[in-house]
C-alpha cells in the first residue's frame, strides 16, 4: 500500500510543508537516524513531495524506501551543478542503502607517481590526494597494478627505496641497480634531469602515448652512439625494445578516434556491471569492470548516470570523450561538471553514430555481459559456502539458529600504550565494513591488560545498544547502525580468561540468554564455550572453523591498523610539539586548516605557510620534523 502525505506523522508533514522551492540535496533517514537515500533536485519542494504520491510508489524498491522514511533534511545550494557535486559528496560520506553505488568506491588502487619530489618514485595507493602527484587508474585488481609496475620497472628503472635526500654522492648503490631495476641517482649514475625525463616517459606510457616516447629514446640512442656512449646507447636500445614488446600487445581500434572511455552496462536479476575500455591514441590500452549496488528497479540511464558521477569524481585523468550505449538524462549537467573538473578542457559525453564507435560499444557490452556471468557464478559459489559454514557453526556450537550476525573483538597495544579495541561485523558470513567500529581504551593506562580492555570494549558496545533501544522511534534520533542490533554470536580473540570477562559483561546487561559467545585461541585454534570446561577442537577443514578464523583475523587486522594509526598520531603530535615556535595556538590553527595530523604531515611547505602565523621558515621546520 502506498504511503501518501496524509498518512505521514505530523513532524514529517511539517517538514514537507517547509521545503523550499530552490535547488539542493535531500536526505531521507530511517527510525535509527541512518541516511538511507540521498538525492538532488532543481526544486526541492516538488521533488521530495513527489515521493509521497501513490503513482511514484509503483516500483517495490521505491515503495520500500518511502515506507522506511522517518525523517528528512535538506541542504539548499546555488545551482543545479552545485547540487550534483554535493550529492556525490553526501553519497560518498553516508553510503545510503537505497542509492546506486559503486561497490567499494574509493578503495580501488591507483598507480601514484610522486611528481612533486625531486626524484619521483612510483607507488600504489587507494587514496588519491592533491599533493602534486600524478595518479593513474583506478584498477579493480591490486594484482593487475603490480603486474603493470613489474613491466614498468624493467623499462623505466625508478626508485623504490625510502631515502628522503639524494645527493648522488653515495659510495655504492643497492642490489636493484645491479639487477637493472633502479637507475641509481644515489651514486650519480643518472642526473636529476635525466631521471625526471625517464619518469615523464613512464607517465606518457601509462597514458598510452608510446610513440613520442619511442621517438625521443631513438634520438637519444643515436646521440649517445655518435659520441661513443655505447653503453648508454645499448641501454636505450633495450628500453625501446621492451616498450615495443608491450605496445605490440595493445590492440589498435581506431585510426581517427579521440582519447576515449567506452562504457557498457550489463544487468541480470538485480546485479549490474559496467565495463570501461580505455582508448588512448587509437589503441585499447586497458579495460576494467566495476560492480554497482542497489540497481534493482532503476532504469539503465539512471544507473549509467550514477556510475559516471562516482567513477569520474575520483578518476585522475579525464578523456576527451565518453562513449555510452544510449542517452542519459543528466548528460548536459555531468558534462558541465567534467569540464569544470578538467579545468575547462573539452570533455564530451556522446552516443556513437559511426560504425567504428558502435562496434566498440558493442564489444564493451559483450565483455560486460561475460564478466557479469562469471561474477554471478562466483557469487553463487561463495553464497553456498557461506550458508554451509553458518549451518556447520550452528551445529558445532549447538545454537538455536544460524549465526547470521557475528561480531568479532580484539585488542591491540604496545606495552600498554595507544590501546585500541576493534569490533568487526560479519552478516551472512560476509564482512560488513560499514558496521566496523574501533574503541580507544580509557580505563587501562600505562600497562597492558587485555582482560580489562576487552571488558571496557564490550561494556561500551552494549551500553550503546541499550541507548539505541531507548531512543527508537524518537523524532530526529540519530543512532549508530552498528549498535542497534544484537549479534547472534560474539567471538572473542583469546582463551578462557577473555571469554569469562565477556560472559560477565553479557550477564551485567541481562543478555546471556540472547547472545551466544565463544572465544578462539590462536595457538591450537581451540574454541572455548562458557559452560564447557574443555575446549572444542573442530577439524582443521571444518567450514565453521574457517569462518571463525576469518572473523578473528579480521578483528585482529582492524585492531592493529587502529593501534598503529593512533600511535602514529601520538608520535606526530609529540613531534609537532617539539618544533620551536609551534605552540598550542599554532597547532590548533594547523589542525583547523588540515583536519588531522596525517594531513599536516602530507602537506607541502607552501601549503603549511598559508596557515595564519606560520612563516615559510617555520613551515620548513615543521616539514623536516614530521618527515
Amino acid at each position: 500500500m502506498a504511503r501518501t502525505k496524509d498518512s505521514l506523522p505530523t513532524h514529517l508533514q511539517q517538514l514537507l510543508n517547509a521545503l523550499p522551492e530552490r535547488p539542493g540535496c535531500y536526505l531521507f533517514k530511517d527510525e535509527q537516524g541512518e541516511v538511507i537515500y540521498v538525492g538532488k533536485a532543481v526544486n526541492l519542494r516538488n521533488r521530495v513531495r513527489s515521493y509521497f504520491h501513490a503513482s511514484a510508489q509503483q516500483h517495490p524498491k521505491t515503495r520500500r524506501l518511502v515506507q522506511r522514511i522517518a525523517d528528512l533534511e535538506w541542504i539548499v545550494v546555488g545551482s543545479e551543478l552545485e547540487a550534483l557535486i554535493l550529492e556525490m559528496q553526501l553519497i560518498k560520506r553516508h553510503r545510503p542503502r537505497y542509492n546506486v553505488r559503486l561497490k567499494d568506491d574509493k578503495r580501488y588502487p591507483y598507480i601514484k607517481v610522486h611528481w612533486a619530489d625531486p626524484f619521483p618514485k612510483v607507488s600504489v595507493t587507494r587514496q588519491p590526494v592533491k599533493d602534486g602527484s600524478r595518479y593513474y587508474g583506478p584498477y579493480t585488481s591490486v594484482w593487475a597494478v603490480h603486474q603493470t609496475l613489474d613491466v614498468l620497472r624493467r623499462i623505466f628503472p625508478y626508485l623504490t627505496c625510502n631515502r628522503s635526500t639524494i645527493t648522488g654522492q653515495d659510495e655504492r648503490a643497492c642490489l636493484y641497480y645491479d639487477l637493472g631495476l633502479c637507475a641509481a641517482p644515489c651514486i650519480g649514475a643518472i642526473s636529476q634531469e635525466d631521471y625526471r625525463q625517464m619518469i615523464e616517459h613512464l607517465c606518457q606510457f601509462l597514458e598510452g602515448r608510446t610513440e613520442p616516447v619511442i621517438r625521443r629514446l631513438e634520438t637519444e640512442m643515436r646521440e649517445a652512439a655518435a659520441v661513443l656512449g655505447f653503453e648508454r646507447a645499448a641501454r636505450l636500445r633495450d628500453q625501446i625494445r621492451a616498450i615495443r614488446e608491450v605496445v605490440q600487445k595493445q590492440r589498435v581500434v581506431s585510426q581517427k578516434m579521440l582519447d576515449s572511455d567506452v562504457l557498457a552496462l550489463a544487468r541480470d536479476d538485480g546485479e549490474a556491471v559496467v565495463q570501461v575500455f580505455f582508448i588512448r591514441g587509437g589503441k585499447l590500452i586497458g579495460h576494467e569492470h566495476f560492480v554497482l549496488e542497489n540497481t534493482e528497479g532503476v532504469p539503465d540511464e539512471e544507473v549509467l548516470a550514477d556510475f559516471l558521477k562516482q567513477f569520474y569524481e575520483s578518476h585522475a585523468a579525464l578523456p576527451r570523450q565518453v562513449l555510452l550505449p544510449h542517452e542519459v538524462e543528466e548528460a548536459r549537467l555531468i558534462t558541465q561538471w567534467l569540464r569544470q573538473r578538467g579545468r575547462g578542457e573539452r570533455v564530451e559525453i556522446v552516443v556513437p553514430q559511426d560504425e567504428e564507435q558502435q562496434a566498440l560499444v558493442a564489444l564493451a557490452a559483450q565483455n560486460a555481459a561475460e564478466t557479469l556471468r562469471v561474477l554471478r557464478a562466483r557469487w553463487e559459489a561463495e553464497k553456498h559456502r557461506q550458508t554451509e559454514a553458518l549451518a556447520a557453526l550452528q551445529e558445532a556450537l549447538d545454537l538455536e539458529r544460524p549465526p547470521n550476525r557475528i561480531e568479532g573483538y580484539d585488542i591491540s597495544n604496545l606495552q600498554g600504550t595507544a590501546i585500541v579495541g576493534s569490533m568487526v561485523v560479519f552478516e551472512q558470513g560476509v564482512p560488513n565494513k560499514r558496521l566496523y567500529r574501533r574503541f580507544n581504551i580509557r580505563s587501562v593506562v600505562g600497562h597492558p591488560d587485555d582482560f580489562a580492555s576487552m571488558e571496557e570494549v564490550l561494556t561500551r558496545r552494549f551500553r550503546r545498544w541499550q541507548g539505541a533501544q531507548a531512543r527508537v522511534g524518537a523524532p530526529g534520533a540519530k543512532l549508530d547502525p552498528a549498535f542497534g542490533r544484537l549479534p547472534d554470536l560474539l567471538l572473542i580473540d583469546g582463551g578462557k580468561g577473555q571469554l569469562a570477562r565477556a560472559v560477565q559483561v553479557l550477564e551485567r546487561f541481562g543478555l546471556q540468554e540472547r547472545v551466544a559467545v565463544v572465544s578462539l585461541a590462536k595457538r591450537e585454534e581451540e574454541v572455548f564455550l562458557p559452560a564447557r570446561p574443555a575446549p572444542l577442537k573442530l577439524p582443521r577443514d571444518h567450514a565453521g572453523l574457517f569462518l571463525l578464523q576469518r572473523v578473528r583475523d579480521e578483528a585482529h587486522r582492524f585492531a592493529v591498523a587502529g593501534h598503529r594509526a593512533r600511535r602514529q598520531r601520538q608520535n606526530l603530535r609529540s613531534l609537532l610539539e617539539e618544533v620551536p615556535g609551534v605552540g598550542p595556538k599554532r597547532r590548533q590553527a594547523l589542525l583547523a586548516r588540515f583536519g588531522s595530523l596525517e594531513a599536516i604531515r602530507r602537506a607541502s611547505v607552501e601549503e603549511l605557510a598559508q596557515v595564519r602565523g606560520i612563516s615559510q621558515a617555520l613551515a620548513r621546520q615543521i616539514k623536516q620534523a614530521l618527515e
Side-chain angles (χ1 to χ4, degrees):
M1 181 178 174
R3 190 184 186 201
T4 60
K5 183 175 179 295
D6 294 335
S7 63
L8 297 177
T10 304
H11 79 279
L12 262 182
Q13 292 183 11
Q14 291 172 343
L15 287 170
L16 291 177
N17 292 333
L19 282 159
E21 295 182 351
R22 294 182 59 187
C25 290
Y26 54 93
L27 299 87
F28 291 147
K29 300 180 180 182
D30 63 10
E31 288 187 343
Q32 281 72 45
E34 181 181 0
V35 176
I36 56 175
Y37 187 79
V38 170
K40 69 173 189 316
V42 178
N43 185 313
L44 282 167
R45 184 179 181 84
N46 292 346
R47 181 71 186 101
V48 175
R49 287 163 68 97
S50 72
Y51 281 91
F52 299 94
H53 297 158
S55 58
Q57 299 176 39
Q58 295 298 316
H59 193 276
K61 181 181 177 182
T62 307
R63 192 159 55 248
R64 287 195 301 270
L65 165 65
V66 174
Q67 291 292 339
R68 292 194 60 185
I69 297 172
D71 196 5
L72 74 94
E73 65 178 77
W74 60 85
I75 303 169
V76 172
V77 296
S79 68
E80 191 179 3
L81 180 58
E82 289 178 24
L84 176 100
I85 295 168
L86 178 60
E87 178 193 39
M88 291 185 294
Q89 293 170 347
L90 292 171
I91 290 173
K92 191 192 309 179
R93 183 190 308 163
H94 296 289
R95 294 191 60 79
R97 68 175 58 194
Y98 284 97
N99 280 95
V100 173
R101 299 192 313 262
L102 257 178
K103 194 171 186 180
D104 293 331
D105 64 331
K106 294 304 291 177
R107 295 298 178 187
Y108 294 115
Y110 291 79
I111 292 174
K112 176 179 181 177
V113 178
H114 300 247
W115 189 250
D117 296 346
F119 291 87
K121 300 171 187 174
V122 182
S123 64
V124 180
T125 184
R126 291 180 182 269
Q127 200 162 12
V129 293
K130 293 180 180 179
D131 59 356
S133 299
R134 300 178 182 180
Y135 295 90
Y136 300 91
Y139 297 83
T140 51
S141 164
V142 176
W143 176 84
V145 174
H146 288 290
Q147 286 288 101
T148 302
L149 290 180
D150 285 344
V151 172
L152 288 174
R153 200 173 174 198
R154 288 195 296 271
I155 302 172
F156 309 105
Y158 55 82
L159 280 167
T160 57
C161 58
N162 292 324
R163 66 185 74 212
S164 56
T165 304
I166 296 174
T167 63
Q169 304 298 316
D170 289 14
E171 291 184 8
R172 61 188 300 275
C174 65
L175 179 63
Y176 288 127
Y177 176 62
D178 298 326
L179 296 173
L181 296 176
C182 180
C186 56
I187 61 170
I190 186 173
S191 67
Q192 181 177 351
E193 181 183 0
D194 287 343
Y195 181 85
R196 290 186 71 88
Q197 183 62 63
M198 180 185 76
I199 299 300
E200 179 63 41
H201 288 161
L202 180 150
C203 293
Q204 292 178 7
F205 184 93
L206 284 169
E207 293 164 3
R209 309 180 198 288
T210 53
E211 288 306 316
V213 176
I214 290 174
R215 285 197 298 270
R216 185 179 181 106
L217 291 175
E218 286 176 337
T219 301
E220 291 178 14
M221 181 180 67
R222 288 192 294 270
E223 290 173 352
V227 296
L228 306 183
F230 298 119
E231 187 176 339
R232 172 172 164 75
R235 207 162 49 240
L236 291 167
R237 178 203 61 205
D238 293 343
Q239 204 173 354
I240 293 166
R241 187 178 297 159
I243 293 173
R244 282 188 169 141
E245 284 179 5
V246 175
V247 170
Q248 283 174 0
K249 299 174 184 176
Q250 294 176 341
R251 175 180 171 185
V252 177
V253 294
S254 175
Q255 299 298 328
K256 59 183 180 181
M257 210 163 139
L258 299 172
D259 290 352
S260 305
D261 288 354
V262 182
L263 276 62
L265 173 68
R267 306 180 71 176
D268 182 31
D269 194 24
E271 309 289 355
V273 166
V274 173
Q275 184 83 31
V276 185
F277 284 176
F278 304 104
I279 297 169
R280 303 294 183 265
K283 293 174 184 170
L284 178 60
I285 67 166
H287 59 89
E288 294 287 343
H289 70 268
F290 300 89
V291 180
L292 292 160
E293 299 176 313
N294 304 328
T295 60
E296 183 185 358
V298 182
D300 287 357
E301 56 270 19
E302 287 186 31
V303 173
L304 277 173
D306 286 329
F307 174 80
L308 288 169
K309 289 181 284 187
Q310 294 177 60
F311 179 66
Y312 288 110
E313 195 274 336
S314 61
H315 206 297
L318 299 177
R320 290 286 304 279
Q321 203 175 57
V322 179
L323 300 184
L324 300 181
H326 46 72
E327 298 284 354
V328 297
E329 187 178 342
E330 293 183 301
R332 176 194 58 79
L333 188 61
I334 295 172
T335 300
Q336 185 182 352
W337 164 67
L338 288 174
R339 289 177 182 175
Q340 184 187 80
R341 272 210 68 227
R343 297 178 182 175
E345 291 185 16
R346 187 170 182 79
V347 181
E348 293 183 320
I349 297 176
V350 297
V351 176
Q353 302 301 318
D354 64 55
E355 290 185 6
E356 185 179 80
Q357 293 183 348
Q358 288 174 346
L360 276 171
V361 172
L363 181 62
Q366 291 172 15
N367 277 263
E370 178 61 19
T371 299
L372 181 56
R373 185 188 67 78
V374 172
L375 288 173
R376 281 186 64 82
R378 186 189 306 165
W379 293 334
E380 288 297 325
E382 288 175 357
K383 186 177 179 181
H384 179 67
R385 283 199 298 270
Q386 289 148 11
T387 303
E388 280 189 338
L390 292 171
L393 206 51
Q394 178 188 4
E395 182 180 357
L397 303 181
D398 194 24
L399 303 175
E400 292 182 5
R401 58 183 181 274
N404 293 320
R405 177 177 169 124
I406 303 174
E407 292 181 7
Y409 292 85
D410 193 16
I411 304 295
S412 181
N413 70 88
L414 180 65
Q415 297 179 345
T417 62
I419 308 175
V420 172
S422 69
M423 163 185 161
V424 301
V425 180
F426 277 56
E427 294 183 324
Q428 305 295 329
V430 177
N432 185 343
K433 295 187 178 182
R434 294 173 63 238
L435 303 181
Y436 284 19
R437 296 294 182 269
R438 290 193 181 103
F439 302 81
N440 290 332
I441 302 303
R442 304 163 183 160
S443 60
V444 180
V445 180
H447 65 282
D449 188 337
D450 286 354
F451 294 172
S453 298
M454 183 63 71
E455 183 176 350
E456 178 185 331
V457 168
L458 294 176
T459 299
R460 288 165 63 183
R461 187 265 181 263
F462 291 113
R463 191 179 292 144
R464 292 189 185 184
W465 170 78
Q466 256 184 355
Q469 297 307 298
R471 295 196 301 276
V472 167
K478 294 186 177 181
L479 307 178
D480 189 329
F483 303 119
R485 282 182 53 202
L486 290 174
D488 298 310
L489 177 65
L490 206 64
L491 175 65
I492 308 299
D493 182 25
K496 284 185 178 180
Q498 284 89 343
L499 179 63
R501 286 296 181 98
V503 170
Q504 287 175 16
V505 174
L506 289 174
E507 289 174 346
R508 195 183 312 148
F509 285 89
L511 296 173
Q512 66 273 22
E513 300 297 328
R514 297 179 62 181
V515 178
V517 58
V518 298
S519 64
L520 181 62
K522 285 191 182 75
R523 184 175 298 175
E524 299 295 333
E525 300 293 19
E526 296 172 324
V527 181
F528 290 89
L529 291 86
R532 186 167 173 161
L536 176 66
K537 291 191 175 183
L538 297 173
R540 290 289 180 173
D541 60 351
H542 191 279
L545 178 61
F546 284 153
L547 179 55
L548 290 178
Q549 289 169 331
R550 280 187 64 206
V551 177
R552 187 267 317 278
D553 294 344
E554 181 69 348
H556 178 71
R557 179 199 65 79
F558 195 56
V560 169
H563 163 66
R564 286 175 178 164
R566 188 180 181 191
R567 205 170 72 219
Q568 184 182 43
R569 286 194 299 271
Q570 290 177 348
N571 291 341
L572 285 172
R573 184 178 289 108
S574 62
L575 286 171
L576 199 57
E577 289 170 353
E578 291 171 7
V579 178
V582 181
K585 286 187 178 180
R586 283 177 176 159
R587 286 199 298 273
Q588 190 174 357
L590 286 164
L591 285 168
R593 166 67 174 80
F594 295 103
S596 70
L597 288 162
E598 179 59 27
I600 296 172
R601 189 185 67 79
R602 290 198 306 262
S604 66
V605 171
E606 289 71 23
E607 289 172 327
L608 292 170
Q610 291 173 8
V611 176
R612 184 181 180 87
I614 306 293
S615 66
Q616 194 80 12
L618 184 54
R620 281 194 292 272
Q621 281 184 279
I622 293 169
K623 188 69 177 172
Q624 289 169 2
L626 296 184
E627 285 181 345

